[in-house]
Amino acid sequence: LGQPRNTDSFDYANYHTLSEIYSFQDMLVAENPDFVSKIVIGQSYEGRPLNVLKFSTGGSNRPAIWIDTGIHAREWITQASGLWFAKKIVTDYGKDPAITAILNNMDIFLEIATNPDGYYFTHVSNRMWRKTRKPNPGYSCPGVDPNRNWDAGFGLGGSSGYPCSETYRGPSPHSESEVRSIVEFVQSHGNIKAFISIHAYSQMLLYPYGYTTASAKDEAELYALAQKAVNSLTSMYGTRYTYGNIIDTIYQASGGTVDWTYNQGIKYSYTYELRDTGYYGFLLPPNQIIPTAQETWSSLMVLMDHAYKNPY
Amino acid sequence: RETFEGHQVLRIVPKNGVQLSLLRNLEEMMEFELDVWKGATRLSSPVDVRVPPHTMQAFKSFLETNEFEYSIMIEDIKAILDAERKQMEFAAR
C-alpha cells in the first residue's frame, strides 16, 4: 500500500525516505535492464549500500560523467533532484538528440544517496544533520563532513579539526567509507571526464580550487563553461546563480570533492549549490523540487554536452 | 527525535569588514550553539544561522551590540518540519 508500482507513478514532487530511494533505483533498473544498472561501490559506516546507477548504451570503459547528490545529508533538494535526473535520463534517451548523442558515446554514473547514514538520520532523528555517522573516539559528537575529507589540501584552512564542528575533516584523508568508495571507483574506472557534485543552497556553480588561491590550469575554460551553464539555468525560471572558483566565490574550503577530482585529471569538475528561495534554506518546500531539478538539468546538459564535444 | 521547537533561522547581512570577519568566526562561538547554514562570503551577502531558543536572546544581543542588520528567515523551524512530515505521510498514502 502506498508504494509506487513503477517509476512512472513515482512521486517526484515529494521528498522520500532512503528505503523509497533504494526501491526507486531497483525499479528503474528492472524497467530498463539494457540501459540502467546498479553498481554497489561500497558500504556506509552503518552498513548501507552505496548505490550508483550506471546509464550505458554499451561499450567498454567508455568515457564517463559522474553526478552525485546528497553528500550533505540535510540538503534534501539534492537527493530529490537526483531521483528526477535519473528518470529524466531514461525518458529523454532516444528522444532528445543531445542526451542521446552523449549516451551513445559516454556513460553516466549517478549516486543519489551519497551519504545514506546521514540521510536516514535526517528522517528519523535530526532533520538538520549534515555529516556522516561514524563515531569519533573520545568525543560525543559523531560524524565527519564528507566534503572536507578528500585528499586535496586536507587539513588546510576552511575545515575543522574539532569533531563537533559541522566542517570536521576527519582523522585522515578518505577516512570515511562514503568518500573512500568514490575515490576507489574513480581511480579504478580511470576514464571519468566530468565530475559534478551537487549541494544546496546558495545558487552557485563552482569549480576548483577551494583549498588554494592558485588558479586551476583550465580556469578560463571552466569559467566560460560555468557562465554558459548558468545562463541556461537562469533562462528557465529566472533563478540567478553566481559562479567561479570556490575560494574566491565562497571562502576557503579544504579537502573538497571537486578539488580532488580535478587533481586526478578530471578537467570538468564542478559543484553546485542549488536553489534558495530565500525563506526556507534546507527546508525547501516540495513544490520547489521539480522546478529546481528542471533548471539544474538544463545546466547539467550544458556541462555534459561540452564534456562530450571536447574530449581530452 | 529532535523537534527544533523554538529554533529560528536568522539572516544576517554584513555591512563592513569588521562585521564580515566577525561572521566568519560564528562557528567557533560555541557559547551560542549555532548551526551556520550559509556562511559569510562577502559584504552584503546574507549569512543564515540556526539559533536554539536557549541562546537566542544572548545571540541577538551580540548582533545588536555589534550593530548587525538581521531578519528572521524562519520564524519556527518546528512548524515547517511538522508540515514537511505531514506532506510526506500524505504523499506516501
Side-chain angles (χ1 to χ4, degrees):
Chain A
L1 282 175
Q3 296 298 313
R5 283 178 295 183
N6 54 51
T7 61
D8 289 331
S9 60
F10 190 84
D11 185 2
Y12 297 93
N14 265 298
Y15 294 116
H16 292 277
T17 63
L18 184 62
S19 65
E20 288 167 349
I21 292 176
Y22 282 153
S23 297
F24 168 87
Q25 292 171 334
D26 290 336
M27 282 192 294
L28 197 70
V29 171
E31 291 166 9
N32 304 277
D34 298 327
F35 182 34
V36 189
S37 56
K38 184 178 82 175
I39 303 170
V40 182
I41 62 168
Q43 280 197 337
S44 66
Y45 170 75
E46 292 176 342
R48 296 186 174 86
L50 299 170
N51 294 340
V52 175
L53 292 177
K54 179 183 181 183
F55 301 84
S56 178
T57 57
S60 174
N61 198 234
R62 280 181 168 176
I65 295 160
W66 170 280
I67 303 168
D68 66 77
T69 55
I71 199 167
H72 282 154
R74 64 190 178 183
E75 296 166 10
W76 280 15
I77 186 61
T78 71
Q79 295 94 341
S81 296
L83 292 165
W84 190 93
F85 298 155
K87 183 64 176 174
K88 181 70 172 169
I89 294 169
V90 168
T91 308
D92 281 7
Y93 177 69
K95 294 177 188 154
D96 175 76
I99 191 70
T100 303
I102 291 167
L103 281 161
N104 283 340
N105 293 278
M106 304 177 85
D107 296 337
I108 297 176
F109 294 98
L110 173 61
E111 187 174 11
I112 296 172
T114 307
N115 174 7
D117 295 350
Y119 189 63
Y120 178 80
F121 196 69
T122 63
H123 281 269
V124 299
S125 194
N126 181 343
R127 174 66 179 82
M128 291 304 128
W129 191 258
R130 162 187 168 103
K131 301 189 285 183
T132 61
R133 290 293 302 161
K134 191 166 75 176
N136 293 307
Y139 291 87
S140 60
C141 310
V144 166
D145 181 346
N147 197 32
R148 299 290 187 279
N149 188 238
W150 301 72
D151 192 7
F154 181 85
L156 298 181
S159 72
S160 174
Y162 176 50
C164 294
S165 165
E166 292 288 351
T167 54
Y168 175 49
R169 66 179 78 100
S172 59
H174 309 163
S175 60
E176 302 308 287
S177 64
E178 295 83 355
V179 171
R180 191 171 60 252
S181 299
I182 300 175
V183 166
E184 288 168 357
F185 178 79
V186 167
Q187 289 180 328
S188 67
H189 186 282
N191 203 16
I192 292 176
K193 298 298 183 185
F195 190 108
I196 300 153
S197 188
I198 302 186
H199 291 250
Y201 63 104
S202 297
Q203 298 183 189
M204 292 176 181
L205 179 55
L206 307 169
Y207 54 80
Y209 285 106
Y211 71 87
T212 174
T213 53
S215 292
K217 67 179 188 302
D218 305 293
E219 166 95 25
E221 183 181 359
L222 294 174
Y223 180 86
L225 180 55
Q227 186 174 47
K228 191 175 169 192
V230 164
N231 286 343
S232 178
L233 186 152
T234 302
S235 69
M236 189 164 274
Y237 293 111
T239 308
R240 303 195 75 82
Y241 265 48
T242 52
Y243 50 91
N245 66 47
I246 298 165
I247 196 166
D248 292 330
T249 310
I250 315 185
Y251 35 65
Q252 186 182 28
S254 61
T257 310
V258 296
D259 281 1
W260 182 82
T261 59
Y262 188 76
N263 284 345
Q264 292 296 300
I266 302 175
K267 178 159 73 167
Y268 301 115
S269 290
Y270 283 95
T271 183
Y272 278 83
E273 292 280 352
L274 299 187
R275 179 186 282 215
D276 164 23
T277 61
Y279 301 101
Y280 295 97
F282 300 119
L283 305 173
L284 205 62
N287 64 11
Q288 299 280 314
I289 294 171
I290 291 177
T292 304
Q294 286 172 328
E295 68 188 12
T296 308
W297 181 253
S298 165
S299 62
L300 279 173
M301 281 299 300
V302 172
L303 300 182
M304 293 194 293
D305 191 57
H306 185 90
Y308 158 55
K309 289 175 176 165
N310 293 273
Y312 62 93
Chain B
R1 186 191 287 268
E2 170 65 77
T3 64
F4 296 98
E5 189 152 8
H7 289 233
Q8 292 185 339
V9 179
L10 303 186
R11 174 157 280 192
I12 309 157
V13 182
K15 293 292 179 201
N16 56 51
V18 176
Q19 289 191 345
L20 188 65
S21 67
L22 274 172
L23 290 178
R24 284 195 171 128
N25 293 320
L26 278 183
E27 207 181 300
E28 276 77 56
M29 297 179 187
M30 299 297 173
E31 68 272 27
F32 297 128
E33 299 177 35
L34 304 172
D35 173 18
V36 180
W37 280 20
K38 188 193 274 186
T41 53
R42 61 178 65 81
L43 293 181
S44 302
S45 180
V47 172
D48 297 337
V49 190
R50 176 172 61 82
V51 190
H54 56 277
T55 66
M56 185 70 68
Q57 196 51 53
F59 184 59
K60 285 181 175 174
S61 297
F62 163 81
L63 294 177
E64 283 152 17
T65 302
N66 290 283
E67 300 180 335
F68 280 102
E69 280 182 19
Y70 70 92
S71 58
I72 297 172
M73 183 172 94
I74 298 180
E75 178 87 34
D76 182 0
I77 289 192
K78 181 177 183 297
I80 296 181
L81 292 180
D82 289 347
E84 187 180 71
R85 193 176 314 120
K86 274 185 191 154
Q87 166 99 11
M88 283 183 69
E89 287 167 3
F90 180 76
R93 276 202 299 276

